[in-house]
């Protein structure tokens, strides 16, 4: 399974300025985590980086969709559908609550209850579809509403329900990383988790943080953006994780809950929101949104800015980014404005 690591390039960090930028890179959540901080000395930065590495290693174990940990054990217990329900591990509570919320807000497009179907398509390590299982699950597609929570216990009303937080866990990990950096007295930083970013403060007194958006067709920078303030910039794409199936079709990892099939029309979605958890969920839901429905969905998901690029190279852009993105490459026809 291919996984393009750096979706958004971090630009300008090497530029010589008064304020030093401290940086740490490590692998976690199946991707490269790259943290840059400024406004503090090296000792404080290194202590914070150590704490972040520890936290993310723990979260990855707890939230992994198919390796042993809190989520795998919870899914296995749920699948047995015990009448007394299954205790909800504290490490999963927020992911479950937020997933239920974004499931509703996205009108069902964001649906982390589809883990078993995602695995059947070959996106939990196998890389080939199990057609018979896919057909059985498609007869009765699970939803987040099939998961009932009462007094910290959970019941599943659908035997195929299995949680996969691949579209939201990185958002929460990034949010918790930002909180931890703040606790360490760091107020100026970029957390970059394989192209999903949380940006706070400034690079220096006279320089904003500058980020890049990758060209989803041929890599390299598509555009750069000087961040005007804090925010989470998240990207979902069909080019990041995919395989070629036995019929030679390209199958990417985002499943359309209306059909049970991998989505086919959108190449990439990049969004700016305040909250990284909401940004992660929104980017995934917008990968499944028809262009006519973009204005409504952006509003429902509280997206501040967005760039949507279709497989046929047509693109749509929100008014704020239309004025502020600096293009360094082009992909096709001029992006159309979203709404307004
Ligand atoms: P990335 O992994 O590139 O950050 P996303 O945030 O869009 O991309 O998450 C995609 C992952 O979410 C998939 O690999 C799968 O685990 C899971 N997933 C697939 N389809 C859906 C869906 N409709 N709703 C929620 N999660 C999904
Ligand atoms: Mg996502």
């Amino acid at each position: 399974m291919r996984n393009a690591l750096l979706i958004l390039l971090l630009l300008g960090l090497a530029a010589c300025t008064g304020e030093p930028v401290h940086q740490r890179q490590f692998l976690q959540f199946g991707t490269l985590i790259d943290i840059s901080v400024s406004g503090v000395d090296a000792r404080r930065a290194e202590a914070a980086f150590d704490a972040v590495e520890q936290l993310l290693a723990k979260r990855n174990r707890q939230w992994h969709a198919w390796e042993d940990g809190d989520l795998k054990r919870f899914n296995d217990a749920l699948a047995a559908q015990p009448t007394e329900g299954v205790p909800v591990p504290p490490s999963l509570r927020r992911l479950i609550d937020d997933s239920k919320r974004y499931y509703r807000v996205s009108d069902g497009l964001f649906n982390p209850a589809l883990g078993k179907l995602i695995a059947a398509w070959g996106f939990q390590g196998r890389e080939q579809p199990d057609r018979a299982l896919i057909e059985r699950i498609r007869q009765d597609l699970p939803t987040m509403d099939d998961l009932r929570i009462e007094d910290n216990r959970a019941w599943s009303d659908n035997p195929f329900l299995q949680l996969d937080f691949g579209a939201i866990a990185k958002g929460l990990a990034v949010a918790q990383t930002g909180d931890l950096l703040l606790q360490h007295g760091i107020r100026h930083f970029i957390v970059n988790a394989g192209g999903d970013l949380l940006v706070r403060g400034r690079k220096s007194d006279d320089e904003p943080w500058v980020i890049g958006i990758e060209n989803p067709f041929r890599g390299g920078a598509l555009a750069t953006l000087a961040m005007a303030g804090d925010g989470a910039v998240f990207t979902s794409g069909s080019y990041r994780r995919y395989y070629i199936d036995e019929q030679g079709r390209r199958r990417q990892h985002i499943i359309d809950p209306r059909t049970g099939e991998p989505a086919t029309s959108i190449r990439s979605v990049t969004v700016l929101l305040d909250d990284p958890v909401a940004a992660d969920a929104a980017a995934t839901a917008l990968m499944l949104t028809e262009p006519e429905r973009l204005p409504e969905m952006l509003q429902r998901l509280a997206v501040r800015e967005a760039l949507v690029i279709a497989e046929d190279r047509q693109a749509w852009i929100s008014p704020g980014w239309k004025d502020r993105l600096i293009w360094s490459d082009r992909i096709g026809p001029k992006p159309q404005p979203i709404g307004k």
Side-chain angles (χ1 to χ4, degrees):
M1 193 172 295
R2 304 261 182 96
N3 193 352
L5 287 183
L6 281 172
I7 302 310
L8 292 157
L9 311 165
L10 217 61
L11 299 177
L13 289 183
C16 293
T17 55
E19 195 94 35
V21 171
H22 307 285
Q23 194 179 11
R24 166 99 49 111
Q25 297 185 335
F26 55 95
L27 294 171
Q28 201 55 263
F29 283 88
T31 195
L32 182 69
I33 313 285
D34 179 336
I35 302 174
S36 303
V37 308
S38 79
V40 292
D41 61 24
R43 211 171 43 87
R44 190 185 283 261
E46 292 300 325
F49 292 155
D50 290 344
V52 168
E53 272 204 56
Q54 269 184 27
L55 173 76
L56 294 191
K58 182 167 148 191
R59 294 293 179 250
N60 185 53
R61 280 193 304 275
Q62 290 169 326
W63 298 343
H64 203 283
W66 65 95
E67 285 171 10
D68 187 43
D70 290 356
L71 178 57
K72 168 100 171 52
R73 273 174 253 150
F74 182 66
N75 274 329
D76 290 348
L78 264 187
Q81 294 187 298
T83 45
E84 73 280 12
V86 179
V88 179
S91 65
L92 301 185
R93 189 62 209 239
R94 163 110 197 253
L95 286 172
I96 291 173
D97 291 348
D98 285 0
S99 291
K100 280 181 160 287
R101 190 147 49 89
Y102 295 124
Y103 170 75
R104 298 222 162 165
V105 169
S106 71
D107 202 14
L109 295 177
F110 172 81
N111 182 1
L114 292 181
K116 203 174 176 66
L117 181 64
I118 291 164
W121 271 107
F123 292 108
Q124 294 185 357
R126 265 174 15 99
E127 300 204 18
Q128 279 305 316
D130 176 341
R131 301 275 168 197
L133 182 56
I134 290 167
E135 279 321 306
R136 276 200 287 138
I137 301 173
R138 279 175 60 181
Q139 304 304 311
D140 187 13
L141 282 181
T143 76
M144 285 308 294
D145 289 340
D146 293 329
L147 183 67
R148 279 182 297 124
I149 311 279
E150 254 166 62
D151 297 332
N152 245 355
R153 299 187 82 79
W155 286 262
S156 163
D157 293 334
N158 183 319
F160 295 129
L161 188 141
Q162 186 178 301
L163 298 172
D164 175 330
F165 294 125
I168 188 173
K170 219 194 303 159
L172 186 53
V174 165
Q176 292 184 351
T177 298
D179 293 344
L180 195 52
L181 293 174
L182 288 172
Q183 282 166 29
H184 279 253
I186 300 174
R187 297 197 315 275
H188 303 277
F189 57 78
I190 297 186
V191 177
N192 181 350
D196 292 331
L197 289 88
L198 175 62
V199 182
R200 290 258 179 273
R202 305 176 63 79
K203 186 180 171 207
S204 71
D205 283 347
D206 34 52
E207 288 166 298
W209 293 111
V210 177
I211 64 168
I213 297 175
E214 192 187 47
N215 183 326
F217 290 100
R218 63 170 173 197
L222 175 63
T224 59
L225 171 71
M227 290 292 291
D230 299 348
V233 179
F234 272 59
T235 296
S236 277
S238 70
Y239 61 103
R240 304 174 97 182
R241 289 182 64 209
Y242 66 88
Y243 63 83
I244 308 295
D245 75 8
E246 69 279 35
Q247 295 151 7
R249 286 192 60 173
R250 193 167 162 280
R251 296 297 198 173
Q252 61 90 25
H253 66 136
I254 296 168
I255 307 290
D256 190 328
R258 296 163 295 194
T259 60
E261 301 260 335
T264 52
S265 58
I266 309 287
R267 184 76 178 182
S268 74
V269 174
T270 302
V271 289
L272 169 70
L273 280 88
D274 292 330
D275 173 23
V277 184
D280 201 354
T284 306
L286 291 168
M287 282 292 294
L288 300 163
T289 299
E290 292 70 28
E292 314 79 72
R293 236 191 138 186
L294 274 176
E296 177 209 341
M297 285 302 275
L298 294 184
Q299 198 171 30
R300 289 176 75 123
L301 295 161
V303 174
R304 280 164 49 193
E305 304 289 348
L307 173 64
V308 176
I309 301 172
E311 295 284 1
D312 69 4
R313 294 179 175 258
Q314 179 60 62
W316 294 266
I317 193 165
S318 58
W321 270 3
K322 182 172 176 292
D323 295 340
R324 303 206 47 239
L325 285 190
I326 299 181
W327 301 93
S328 47
D329 199 356
R330 67 183 292 240
I331 34 169
K334 207 167 155 232
Q336 295 177 21
I338 302 172
K340 306 223 165 90

